[in-house]
Amino acid sequence: LKTARNANDALDDLNQALQRDRALMNAYLERGKIHRAVGRFDLAVADLDTFLKSKPEHVDGLVERGTALFSLGRKTQAMADFTRVLTINPLHEQALVRRAYLLFEEGNHHGAWQDADTVRRMGAGNPEALTLLGRLSYMKENFVEAVSLYDHAVRTAPGFSQTAIHVYDRIAERAPRLGATYHARGVAHYQEDRLDMAINDLTVAMSLIGEEPQAMYDRGVASKRSGRFNEAATDFERALKHREQFNNTIISNPGSIVQGSAQESLLGYRFGGAHPFVYTNLAWTYYFLGRFEQARSAITRGLQ
């Protein structure tokens, strides 16, 4: 029930279980997780306190309680829980991310960067870590790095698009000739289903940085999705002429298409111009244009 996000029904089952047997420690852990997820932080802490009395070194329990304490503003206690987890497992992803945000709120930007950057170097593709690093880079006026970090987060987790767009807007005002900003903002608009705005931004990006193959491909994806098949085919064809440079993350629609290995999906479709998904997009574009022989040829290249 919890997995299906039926929080109240899941709580009813856990409550009944604990009425029958108060020694079911994992029930306190699960109930605490649900209370935290729905914003009942005091109840979450109470359940997690009970659970951790029996298993004081349980890392998931400590992370959950630390997160609930953080939400209640009890930062010193939250820090103790996160640090305790990292003593047990120095590379615990969620503990590092949570402690990074806590350090940031306390003004320890160096410590926040270290923790978030550790997560990035782990290759986890964690969007919370990436957006925090992007925020810190923006504050240091390192706009190129800030754009790159926010863009990686958006491609990994589209839910961060609107936050990124606000930052891109500010960067575009302060550095209007930075083409990477328009490219990244175009991707974020695409993830928000604002296809015209995405195409406009990607066009501006190419006017500033030239015919960069990733930007051409990204504009092609947006054009294809908006039914502009001639423009999409042209962009895909031009991008593939430079596929040796084409090695960045590709935008797609993660909600409807899962392509490649689980690792590729985790990292937001991080593959280059040799990936069959590129040819699949090109083939569908040809198909919609009635260019069936070219569609067949593109599919064959993808299969190869």
Side-chain angles (χ1 to χ4, degrees), residues 115-228:
D115 277 353
D117 194 48
T118 297
V119 174
R120 175 174 60 168
R121 288 186 283 108
M122 286 162 55
N126 186 296
E128 292 179 289
L130 292 167
T131 53
L132 179 57
L133 291 170
R135 187 174 178 182
L136 289 163
S137 295
Y138 174 78
M139 291 171 68
K140 293 185 288 187
E141 298 191 2
N142 188 342
F143 298 143
V144 173
E145 184 173 47
V147 167
S148 176
L149 289 161
Y150 275 104
D151 185 47
H152 190 177
V154 166
R155 292 174 187 265
T156 304
F160 288 81
S161 299
Q162 196 56 53
T163 298
I165 288 169
H166 291 316
V167 177
Y168 299 148
D169 289 346
R170 293 198 292 270
I171 293 175
E173 290 175 359
R174 300 181 65 182
R177 302 294 298 173
L178 182 60
T181 307
Y182 301 95
H183 185 175
R185 191 170 68 181
V187 172
H189 281 309
Y190 172 90
Q191 302 287 36
E192 292 286 303
D193 206 31
R194 301 168 185 152
L195 300 180
D196 288 341
M197 297 176 76
I199 292 167
N200 289 341
D201 267 344
L202 289 161
T203 301
V204 172
M206 283 188 282
S207 74
L208 294 170
I209 63 179
E211 293 193 347
E212 198 273 325
Q214 181 67 51
M216 281 189 283
Y217 181 86
D218 289 346
R219 188 174 68 178
V221 173
S223 294
K224 171 177 166 283
R225 190 167 161 190
S226 64
R228 304 178 188 182

Side-chain angles (χ1 to χ4, degrees), residues 3-63:
T3 303
R5 297 186 179 178
N6 297 327
N8 289 330
D9 290 340
L11 286 171
D12 285 343
D13 277 350
L14 290 166
N15 290 336
Q16 290 183 54
L18 286 168
Q19 286 172 6
R20 287 159 174 74
D21 184 356
R22 289 288 176 184
L24 288 172
M25 288 297 108
N26 282 344
Y28 290 104
L29 172 63
E30 294 303 324
R31 194 170 67 176
K33 288 180 180 180
I34 295 172
H35 282 315
R36 185 196 67 76
V38 299
R40 300 167 186 159
F41 303 120
D42 285 322
L43 294 175
V45 170
D47 274 343
L48 293 164
D49 281 345
T50 301
F51 171 75
L52 288 165
K53 286 176 184 175
S54 65
K55 297 183 180 180
E57 301 297 299
H58 194 282
V59 292
D60 286 343
L62 289 166
V63 170

Side-chain angles (χ1 to χ4, degrees), residues 246-263:
F246 183 13
N247 57 9
N248 295 322
T249 307
I250 294 169
I251 63 174
S252 57
N253 185 352
S256 63
I257 300 172
V258 176
Q259 186 71 29
S261 70
Q263 183 70 1

